[in-house]
Amino acid sequence: YHKSLDLINKLLAKKKDNRLGAQNGIEEILLHPFFADLDIELLKQAGKSYAKAIELNENQVRSVINKFNIDWD
């Protein structure tokens, strides 16, 4: 509980320069103890698979739009 509260407080610091991640971005945020048990590499791999699935779906939608000459304007 205290790790999550600390993370939220640091992300929402009033002064922009004092916010967690303001100096070193996501790398700084991921070093926070809240994320200590998180397998970042596993998440990166899952994210790549998810992004690929989204790209495939977008391509399928474009294919249907082109095939049936659908005008979205």
Side-chain angles (χ1 to χ4, degrees):
Y1 170 78
H2 70 282
K3 289 179 187 178
S4 58
L5 185 58
D6 182 64
L7 174 65
I8 292 168
N9 284 330
K10 289 181 177 178
L11 288 170
L12 299 176
K14 285 185 180 183
K15 290 187 178 184
K16 185 173 144 179
D17 294 339
N18 292 340
R19 292 180 191 148
L20 186 63
Q23 305 304 313
N24 297 311
I26 190 68
E27 298 300 325
E28 182 181 348
I29 295 170
L30 292 175
L31 289 174
H32 188 276
F34 179 82
F35 299 108
D37 297 329
L38 191 62
D39 186 342
I40 300 299
E41 291 306 314
L42 182 62
L43 282 177
K44 285 179 183 178
Q45 290 304 316
K48 288 177 186 175
S49 297
Y50 183 69
K52 188 172 184 175
I54 290 173
E55 183 180 326
L56 289 173
N57 286 335
E58 287 177 0
N59 289 337
Q60 290 170 343
V61 170
R62 281 192 197 101
S63 175
V64 169
I65 289 170
N66 291 335
K67 183 176 181 178
F68 294 101
N69 291 324
I70 298 172
D71 184 13
W72 291 93
D73 294 328

